[in-house]
């Protein structure tokens, strides 16, 4: 009988270096601490080895090594896992962050992109051709994890989820084989990776459809938050043309330099706006939001699409608790609940994020993502000052209150997502 591999099986670092094209980083190497650091704080894990793979051949060899030795395998693309999945204690980290090749076929409007690219890097490369694929709201998030989870971003109401534009993927499966997944080849695998997360193999590159989009009207619009303003903001976002996507954060104003000192600590709507079209139509689409209250700050302006991802501070590793769910609507009572919840918070930073979805035909292109026509998504976040269990409880409470808040007789569909973090 074959013995099952033990997780104490030794891995020879010199042999691994000789076998692989990419970089092998062991605990005694310079750069080890930087290489084991992920976006979120609170994960002080020490992998046995980190392999910055160079190509699909390396990926296959590392997957086989994990299988043969029984060592835990953690995959990392952009390192933004909310639950620390991309770093392992005592296992192997397969780090794709140096696989950043991108081939753009501007004529056919398609791109093959390796999964070590971030959303911002992809946007810059595609933007040079006046083309886009929609990812999330943050440039440093990896296209690997984001795409496999569905991808909800600045262009969701215009073009749909990221997976709606995924045409094919190259995937290394658990037996170390490199296979193509698309509508014709391995269609089950193709279905699974469009929303099923990172459980079906290592995606080494994706083929995406691109859309023509040069300039957007986007940026931050900050208004004082009352229940009326929040409710009207959501209603305006629902009624807006499909070219407009709004990400609405309700929070106490942090002491940011572009906010007047008297606003600091006050409840605000910090909305991230993106109109996928020209300046005049964009101004018209944004006008109803500006009219809701005297803006505290208005940084919405025409810009090349890649600028929607501003530079991010380096070496910031927050510890967050996040809960995400889909709801049919955010009504006036929900808005009051959000105001009460955020105002009564003693956290360093507490926020509720509402993303108005809908738009498009809602049909998407299939795949395993659970939600096709969600009108709204609500993320509750609370950060940094409470102990983990209290943070989790407080974050969950907002979701529960919004869910219970449905007026009697009205059907409220709530879908709880696995997208949650209690660190
Ligand atoms: C600041 C921030 C903003 C965000 N904004 C958005 C947003 O606007 N929209 C949105 O949809 N999501 C958003 N997210 C969630 C984000 O999409 C997920 O956390 C995603 O998993 C991160 O991808 P990554 O490659 O950076 O993460 P990683 O930590 O590198 O990967 C996370 C996990 O995904 C899987 N995975 C990653 N790459 C591969 C691969 N190539 N093959 C197989 N499995 C893989 C693995 O299981 C891995 O452990 C945000 C997250 C953060 C932290």
């Amino acid at each position: 009988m074959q013995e099952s591999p033990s997780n104490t099986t030794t891995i020879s670092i010199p042999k691994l270096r000789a076998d692989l094209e990419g970089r092998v980083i062991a605990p005694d190497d310079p750069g080890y601490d930087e290489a084991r650091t992920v976006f979120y704080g609170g994960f002080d894990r020490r992998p046995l080895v980190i392999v910055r793979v160079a190509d699909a051949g390396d990926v296959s060899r590392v997957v086989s090594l994990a299988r043969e030795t029984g060592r835990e395998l953690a995959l990392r693309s952009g390192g933004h896992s909310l639950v620390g999945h991309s770093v392992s204690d005592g296992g192997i980290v397969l780090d794709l962050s140096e696989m950043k090749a991108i081939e753009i076929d501007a004529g056919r409007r398609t791109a093959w992109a390796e999964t070590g690219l971030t959303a911002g890097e992809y946007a810059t490369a595609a933007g040079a051709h006046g083309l886009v694929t929609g990812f999330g709201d943050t440039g440093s998030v990896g296209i690997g994890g984001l795409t496999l989870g569905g991808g909800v971003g600045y262009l969701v109401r215009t073009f749909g989820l990221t997976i709606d534009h995924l045409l094919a993927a190259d995937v290394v499966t658990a037996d170390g084989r490199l296979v193509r997944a698309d509508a014709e080849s391995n269609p089950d695998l193709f279905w699974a990776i469009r929303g099923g997360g990172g459980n079906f193999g290592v995606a080494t590159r994706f083929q995406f459809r691109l859309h023509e989009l040069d300039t957007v009207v986007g940026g931050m619009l900050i208004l004082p938050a009352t229940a009326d303003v929040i409710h009207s903001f959501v209603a305006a976002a629902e009624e807006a043309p499909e070219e407009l996507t709004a990400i609405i954060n309700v929070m106490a104003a942090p002491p940011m330099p572009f906010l007047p000192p008297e606003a600091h600590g006050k409840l605000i709507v910090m909305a991230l706006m993106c109109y996928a079209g020209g300046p005049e139509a964009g101004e018209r689409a944004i006008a109803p939001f500006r009219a809701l209250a005297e803006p505290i700050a208005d940084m919405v302006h025409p810009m090349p699409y890649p600028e929607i991802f501003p530079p991010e501070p380096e070496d910031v590793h927050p510890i967050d608790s996040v809960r995400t769910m889909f709801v049919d609507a955010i009504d006036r009572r929900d808005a009051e609940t959000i105001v009460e919840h955020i105002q009564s918070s003693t956290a360093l930073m507490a926020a509720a994020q509402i993303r108005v979805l809908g738009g498009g035909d809602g049909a998407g292109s299939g795949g395993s993502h659970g939600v096709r026509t969600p009108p709204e998504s609500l993320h509750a976040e609370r950060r940094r000052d409470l102990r983990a269990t209290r943070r989790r409880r407080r974050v969950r409470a907002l979701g529960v209150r919004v869910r219970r808040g449905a007026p009697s007789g009205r059907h409220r569909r709530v879908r709880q997502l696995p997208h949650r973090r209690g660190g």
Side-chain angles (χ1 to χ4, degrees):
M1 201 178 86
Q2 202 181 356
E3 274 187 19
S4 60
S6 132
N7 71 355
T8 54
T9 308
T10 344
I11 290 177
S12 159
I13 301 293
K15 181 167 182 328
L16 199 53
R17 288 204 168 107
D19 287 349
L20 298 173
E21 298 295 323
R23 281 208 288 156
V24 174
I25 305 169
D28 292 337
D29 290 333
Y32 173 78
D33 283 331
E34 179 262 325
R36 70 186 179 92
T37 304
V38 288
F39 174 78
Y40 277 111
F43 300 107
D44 185 19
R45 298 186 187 150
R46 303 186 65 82
L48 179 72
V49 63
I50 299 161
V51 184
R52 293 223 166 122
V53 287
D55 53 28
D58 273 1
V59 173
S60 169
R61 283 186 280 278
V62 173
V63 168
S64 298
L65 178 75
R67 195 185 58 249
E68 285 154 14
T69 59
R71 291 277 176 182
E72 182 180 71
L73 182 65
L75 296 187
R76 174 183 180 137
S77 284
H80 278 59
S81 166
L82 292 142
V83 285
H85 278 161
S86 38
V87 64
S88 153
D89 232 347
I92 303 167
V93 173
L94 192 167
D95 182 340
L96 292 137
S97 64
E98 288 184 359
M99 286 181 58
K100 289 185 187 286
I102 178 164
E103 294 162 27
I104 294 175
D105 185 334
R108 292 194 175 158
R109 298 210 199 122
T110 58
W112 272 109
E114 286 188 333
T115 50
L117 287 160
T118 63
E121 289 164 346
Y122 182 105
T124 302
H129 302 267
L131 298 170
V132 296
T133 303
F135 292 102
D137 66 359
T138 302
S140 58
V141 170
I143 66 166
L146 182 133
T147 302
L148 297 167
V152 178
Y154 282 123
L155 300 174
V156 67
R157 290 186 79 241
T158 320
F159 299 132
L161 303 176
T162 302
I163 47 167
D164 295 336
H165 308 285
L166 185 65
L167 301 172
D170 284 346
V171 181
V172 172
T173 53
D175 56 6
R177 279 183 313 131
L178 177 64
V179 300
R180 174 68 47 88
D182 61 20
E184 274 85 43
S185 316
N186 300 297
D188 289 355
L189 180 58
F190 188 50
W191 176 84
I193 63 171
R194 283 176 295 155
N199 301 313
F200 303 96
V202 184
T204 59
R205 57 178 199 155
F206 295 129
Q207 187 187 35
F208 291 109
R209 187 181 301 117
L210 290 155
H211 300 269
E212 268 183 74
L213 183 65
D214 232 338
T215 317
V216 297
V217 179
M220 221 184 261
L221 178 64
I222 299 180
L223 304 181
T226 61
D228 281 333
V229 168
I230 297 165
H231 181 225
S232 306
F233 209 108
V234 172
E238 284 169 352
E239 282 158 22
E242 285 173 4
E243 288 80 7
L244 188 100
T245 298
I247 299 176
I248 304 159
N249 296 290
V250 182
M251 62 201 293
M256 291 194 286
F258 52 83
L259 292 177
E262 62 274 16
H264 296 172
K266 301 266 166 57
L267 202 66
I268 54 167
V269 167
M270 182 194 283
L272 307 170
M273 314 294 285
C274 181
Y275 180 84
E280 280 173 24
E283 289 296 313
R284 275 198 303 278
I286 306 283
F289 299 91
R290 289 179 166 136
L292 290 175
E294 180 69 31
I296 300 171
D298 184 348
M299 289 170 276
V300 182
H301 63 282
M303 60 174 80
Y305 177 72
E307 283 182 23
I308 202 86
F309 300 119
E312 293 169 43
E314 281 181 23
D315 233 17
V316 172
H317 302 286
I319 297 175
D320 289 2
S321 288
V322 180
R323 192 103 177 162
T324 304
M325 64 192 198
F326 290 118
V327 293
D328 280 345
I330 298 284
D331 59 24
R332 175 73 172 58
R333 200 144 61 148
D334 298 327
E336 276 171 28
T337 301
I338 290 169
V339 168
E340 281 164 23
H341 191 90
I342 302 296
Q343 269 177 338
S344 66
S345 166
T346 55
L348 266 182
M349 190 193 284
Q353 184 180 90
I354 303 159
R355 298 195 181 197
V356 174
L357 306 176
D361 61 6
S365 56
S368 54
H369 195 279
V371 176
R372 277 282 137 219
T373 53
E376 249 101 72
S377 85
L378 173 71
H379 307 245
E381 303 188 19
R382 234 185 124 85
R383 304 183 186 197
R384 266 173 262 175
D385 66 335
L386 300 173
R387 287 164 61 99
T389 41
R390 273 194 69 202
R391 266 205 315 267
R392 276 199 295 270
R393 214 178 303 136
R394 288 282 310 180
V395 168
R396 204 177 306 128
L398 176 57
V400 169
R401 287 184 65 193
V402 168
R403 191 183 323 169
R404 285 196 187 136
S408 57
R410 197 181 99 195
H411 170 67
R412 168 159 289 196
R413 185 168 54 87
V414 177
R415 196 182 283 266
Q416 200 76 50
L417 295 181
H419 180 92
R420 64 185 179 203
R421 157 83 206 274

